[in-house]
Amino acid sequence: YRGKHIGTDEIRAWYQQVDSHRDQRILFELLKRTCVFSEAHVRERLKSAHALIRGSLPEFVIRPRRERRKDVLLTYVDGEGKSGASYASLYDEENAISADCVISPGDFRSRFNKHVKQNGQVAALVIMDDIAATGKSLSGNVSRFLSEFGDLLQSTKVRIITLVATEAAQARILRDVRKMEHIDIDFRSCEILPRDVFAFPEGAGASVWGSEKEEARAQALCRDLGSRIYNQSPLVYGGMGLLIVFPTTVPNNSLPILHSYSRPGSGRTWQPLFPRVVN
């Protein structure tokens, strides 16, 4: 994680921050279910993502070894310095797309027009993000982006791509994009998250804990520790509590005890196993 090997010593120090052996086992069980993506895993997913849309693009034959396609642009809608920008750059690197095809939303209009003038019509615009957890933020950001730049994209396929998504987020985004009838737009995720990467999945038969009693104790523990990090949202926004770690960051929908330090004056010092860099 972030170039650092996390081994048994770091793991032991993390779960031994609680005194009870029973609570330590709970933290260890949560960690065992945590999906930690390597950079190689991410790159593989980005190749798969491009395969999902390649069939709808004009045929592109690479002749010189270093030739890159320029009819696919990439952007992001989660803000400068966020994960979308880094994954957009990785996407073009893995899929033989020219590096100058990654366009910041901050100067999208001028860069888009300049690109068309120099290289011809754009076949597709890929809006890249790492995760769609609730789908609300991504859908809203895409809607705002298209309200500003939709006039440029009347003849361009728009494809929203995420590395992972929850079923709920997928349903929400697909429902929202169907309303955008003036643009050829679709959503694809490389992976729909299974229920065992939720700390406390909801729904009938959804529990991944051995018993209701064990789940209740685990949830109480996570709420107690999490309240020392985020007082109002100990299991993060919506109580989602995902168990997801990417190579350089942890989504803010993941369980706080994985990625964040306790607040000063919270009464207990908590050291995360995967410290999250906050932009």
Side-chain angles (χ1 to χ4, degrees):
Y1 177 71
R2 300 187 64 81
K4 177 184 176 182
H5 174 71
I6 296 178
T8 54
D9 290 344
E10 291 82 5
I11 290 169
R12 187 180 299 112
W14 179 74
Y15 68 68
Q16 286 183 345
Q17 293 180 94
V18 297
D19 296 328
S20 163
H21 290 299
R22 189 175 177 184
D23 288 344
Q24 289 177 9
R25 284 195 297 271
I26 286 173
L27 293 182
F28 189 68
E29 286 300 316
L30 286 167
L31 190 59
K32 286 201 302 183
R33 286 198 280 118
T34 298
C35 182
V36 182
F37 285 77
S38 67
E39 183 175 337
H41 194 180
V42 168
R43 289 179 178 274
E44 177 186 335
R45 284 290 187 269
L46 294 177
K47 287 182 180 179
S48 300
H50 194 59
L52 294 174
I53 67 172
R54 190 183 295 119
S56 63
L57 299 176
E59 184 177 1
F60 177 72
V61 179
I62 298 178
R63 292 181 175 87
R65 179 178 297 180
R66 297 191 179 185
E67 185 177 1
R68 296 289 185 265
R69 76 182 303 160
K70 295 189 175 183
D71 61 342
V72 177
L73 297 182
L74 295 108
T75 193
Y76 43 92
V77 292
D78 58 343
E80 299 294 341
K82 301 286 187 177
S83 53
S86 61
Y87 289 119
S89 296
L90 276 179
Y91 187 105
D92 78 35
E93 186 179 320
E94 285 301 307
N95 294 297
I97 298 171
S98 177
D100 60 9
C101 288
V102 178
I103 299 180
S104 162
D107 56 355
F108 186 83
R109 184 173 294 275
S110 61
R111 289 280 305 279
F112 184 93
N113 288 329
K114 180 179 179 180
H115 188 90
V116 170
K117 185 176 181 179
Q118 293 178 343
N119 302 287
Q121 181 62 44
V122 175
L125 172 69
V126 175
I127 298 175
M128 190 72 217
D129 211 340
D130 54 358
I131 184 171
T134 66
K136 183 177 180 180
S137 294
L138 179 56
S139 184
N141 288 338
V142 169
S143 179
R144 285 186 287 274
F145 176 85
L146 294 178
S147 69
E148 184 173 357
F149 303 116
D151 60 304
L152 300 176
L153 304 169
Q154 298 299 313
S155 302
T156 302
K157 301 178 190 300
V158 177
R159 298 295 181 260
I160 309 165
I161 300 288
T162 63
L163 294 174
V164 299
T166 64
E167 287 186 6
Q170 180 189 45
R172 180 180 193 132
I173 296 170
L174 287 174
R175 183 183 69 243
D176 290 349
V177 300
R178 289 191 192 104
K179 301 174 184 177
M180 304 175 187
E181 298 177 352
H182 59 295
I183 288 181
D184 181 352
I185 185 170
D186 201 2
F187 169 72
R188 292 284 187 272
S189 184
C190 302
E191 181 178 340
I192 302 300
L193 294 171
R195 64 191 183 99
D196 60 352
V197 297
F198 291 78
F200 308 104
E202 297 180 352
S207 179
V208 293
W209 297 90
S211 66
E212 291 183 4
K213 184 177 180 180
E214 183 182 15
E215 180 174 7
R217 183 182 179 102
Q219 191 161 154
L221 174 64
C222 289
R223 286 187 180 279
D224 176 53
L225 297 174
S227 67
R228 303 171 191 277
I229 300 169
Y230 302 134
N231 186 37
Q232 301 299 319
S233 304
L235 299 181
V236 302
Y237 175 75
M240 184 164 285
L242 290 174
L243 303 171
I244 299 288
V245 175
F246 290 122
T248 60
T249 191
V250 184
N252 58 12
N253 298 92
S254 284
L255 208 61
I257 58 174
L258 291 173
H259 59 71
S260 291
Y261 295 90
S262 54
R263 305 184 323 276
S266 63
R268 176 197 286 263
T269 300
W270 182 260
Q271 303 280 339
L273 189 57
F274 307 99
R276 183 170 182 264
V277 175
V278 180
N279 294 320

